[in-house]
Amino acid sequence: MAEPQRYVWLNGVRLPIAGAVGWRKITPFPDQLMTTAPAVADYTPTSKQVWTKLKGGLGIEKWTPEDNDRYWQAEGVDASINLQSLAPLVTTLGSFGVAPVKLIKFEGKIWAIGHNQISYWTGSAWTSVKTDFPNPTDAATFYGTA
Amino acid sequence: MATKFEYFDTGADNNISAYGATWIAQTFTPSTTHKITSVKLYGVKSGSPGTLTISIRATDGSGLPTGSDLCAGTTNGDVITPIQWYEVTLGSGATLTASTKYAIVLRAPSGSVNNWMNWSGDSTSPTYAGGSLVTSADSGATWTAETGWDLYFEDWGIIENTVSSSVDMGLAPTTSRAAAVARVASHALGLAATASRAFAASRSASLTLGLNPTTAIADDVGPALCIASQSNGSIKTTSNVGTTWSTLAHDAAGAALDASWFAQYDNRLCVLNYANLGFSYSAANDVVATWTEKEQFPNLPIAFTGMFVGKDASDNPALYFLTPKGMYYLDVFTNFVFGPTEVTWEEDSTSGKKGLYWKGDTYVAVGKGIYKVSAGVVSLVGPDMDDGLPEEMQGTVTDMIGVGFWLVIAVDGGASNKSSILKRYISGKHWHPVYVSAAGSRIQALCWDSGTLYFGEGTNVKSLPFPAVTDNVNALSTQTRAATGTLTYPWFHSVFETMPKVAHKVWATTRDCNASDKVTIHYRKDEQTAWTSLGSFATSPRPTALSFGSAGVQFERIQFRATYDRGATTTNSPKVESLVLEYRVIPPTLWGWDVRVVARTQGDVKGDDILAALKTATETGTLLAFYPSGDKSKTCYYVEVKGVPGNEAGTEFGTEGIYQISLQEVVG
């Protein structure tokens, strides 16, 4: 039978002891007296991280509690409303042919202006009206004597 | 604004061609005296007919075209396709008298067989009573009527203005024609030959109306599409199909003025040249009259990148122009001075691409960011705030428009990154993606109309629904959806940073999820770059939780990505109300000990020495080395003394006895 332990060392001093040394595991979460209804954070033994509304917008790479309504990025998902859902469907309008510099509405139609290409959309196709005006930079509608 | 007068547009079953010396015409009889300004014909070209000329001619007693053109216009016949209505402006037009027959003459002198212009009409039972098809095989020298045909046409024009005045206008009582109003108060109405407005009636040239108009009343008031270029001045068209174009900003000789950017300010259309000087402006409400050129203004040795109208701090209209290093104001029409505003930045070729005055504030695109100027105070509102955009989405803000209460911007990712369209609510702080392109597919132009957002991507123009009736598109059963999308959540550490956690389950509350319309959850943790699929939510409202396995997955940080997929129905979409991660925090194991120390004098051990050691240990701030086994060759723990040691005898500290002390670790 092993001889009972008689000493411990503390701070460089040998201290005589009576009885066994009792061990216990320390919890970092002290017991609490609840004065309110339990919240999500009180649910034990697991914790819950809840993401609901994300109307705060994109641009948060690392989560913080105050940015719980933010996300990092999205493609094809609309998070600007309370329920996240698929983004709108994109439709290609015919074949314009050059990079449009300006898009503008004129006389009830959508017009596209690009390098040596001015066209309007008929609803089913582009009608080209001018192909000899290079390097456009701006477009505007004017109402007056023209 | 032009209106439609005479026309014929029913029963087309054939077409007839104009080419070379073969001319064709449709005679017509207007029921209202008016000035014809343009005609529309219905047809299509074959091959390459070249330049088409459409003109109005009078007719003789046989109802055949006679004399020279009263007015005419041309168009490029090589682009007249597909078959539809095409409009041609007839120069300055011509006045047509009611109940008098005229002819719309079409010719394609450069055309030939199979390179002709086809004009459609009814060759079986035409119903137009005011005229018919007529043809010529000798370039209009002689004509033949084809009364069994009527060709489709529309006669567009205006009623010339009338002025009521008690002054004797010198008109014969039977005259039914209206006088055109003089443009300048001092002008007599018996206009000089160089005037652009002349009476249709024969009147004495010395007549005056006795009128002193203070405002120019324009006959040709209407919309025009104006386009400027970096190097070729500016042009305009008043045709709703762009058949004819003319120089916009011009000097007295009609030569084009340099013009790159537009702004309509003080009822004048202003143009600013791309290069470091060159500012011109039109007359008030009139771009036809000679423009005023300010060649030496503004003299700023930098390339201009834009011009727009906003308001100054006093809420007065102000004209601003943009450069790669700041926004300047233009004080025009009085002082013609310019100066920097409070919105300046380090010179950057990607900055100053767009300025916008919207809902009372000014927004300026500055590279990847946006400055907002409100009551003279500048703040940052661009998508580069916080952690910015992911690397593959970074780019330059190139366009901004307001749609309802949303500010919508185009971010051009250039040749290697993705471009995107983002939106921000007027009272919001941050941005949401509307659309993200593929890498290298650049987006640079935006336009919104009637619930649709149009944008240029690469060499295409695309559209997506952007309703005007509601922002909550989930309440619209007609909203069409992308087939797939992803949303990436932030990296999650929990508030217990640097502590290990264990992920156990992911829960969700969903709507409209099924086998075809579902949300799949992926995750990655710590230093991982690849994603691992957890599974899909394919039912609603509370699908089965997705598990990380029986034991869970330990992580320091974890990130989720939700992939949304729909089936074939474009108006369907899975929806997520909430996403919940169930996890445990695993703090480091800390040990504590309870020890009964005998502080008594026994043998060569003095009780006072033990008490002194306990007092020192209690008062020491740093952690103490503790060997709970009593053996210094075994594990050492660093502890603190919890509380004041208690004497079992109940006496105060300092008396010999057995003291219960508690020790514990404080750090792992």
Side-chain angles (χ1 to χ4, degrees), chain B residues 51-54 72-76 88-89 243-244:
Chain B
T51 299
L52 307 180
T53 298
I54 295 89
T74 60
T75 190
N76 182 3
V88 178
T89 301
T243 48
T244 54

Side-chain angles (χ1 to χ4, degrees), chain B residues 329-341:
Chain B
Y329 71 88
L330 290 166
D331 182 3
V332 299
F333 308 141
T334 50
N335 299 317
F336 279 93
V337 297
F338 71 96
T341 67

Side-chain angles (χ1 to χ4, degrees), chain B residues 378-516:
Chain B
V378 181
S379 58
L380 302 175
V381 299
D384 59 327
M385 297 186 300
D386 297 316
D387 297 325
L389 294 174
E391 182 176 6
E392 67 269 23
M393 287 175 62
Q394 292 168 2
T396 301
V397 179
T398 54
D399 203 1
M400 298 187 290
I401 60 173
V403 181
F405 288 99
W406 293 94
L407 181 63
V408 182
I409 65 173
V411 179
D412 178 9
S416 54
N417 281 357
K418 299 177 180 180
S419 292
S420 57
I421 300 172
L422 307 178
K423 66 178 182 180
R424 173 181 180 268
Y425 199 65
I426 191 170
S427 60
K429 295 182 180 180
H430 307 290
W431 298 84
H432 294 278
V434 177
Y435 170 71
V436 180
S437 75
S441 193
R442 306 177 67 173
I443 298 174
Q444 299 181 71
L446 301 173
C447 176
W448 181 90
D449 175 58
S450 303
T452 300
L453 181 68
Y454 300 88
F455 58 97
E457 180 185 346
T459 60
N460 288 312
V461 177
K462 298 186 177 181
S463 70
L464 55 84
F466 199 119
V469 295
T470 179
D471 291 331
N472 181 14
V473 295
N474 289 331
L476 286 178
S477 61
T478 55
Q479 177 80 353
T480 54
R481 312 284 192 151
T484 187
T486 60
L487 184 144
T488 306
Y489 292 79
W491 280 99
F492 176 68
H493 297 242
S494 85
V495 295
F496 297 99
E497 305 221 27
T498 72
M499 280 192 189
K501 280 80 67 174
V502 176
H504 290 284
K505 290 187 177 181
V506 171
W507 303 81
T509 307
T510 65
R511 284 195 204 174
D512 302 327
C513 288
N514 51 57
S516 298

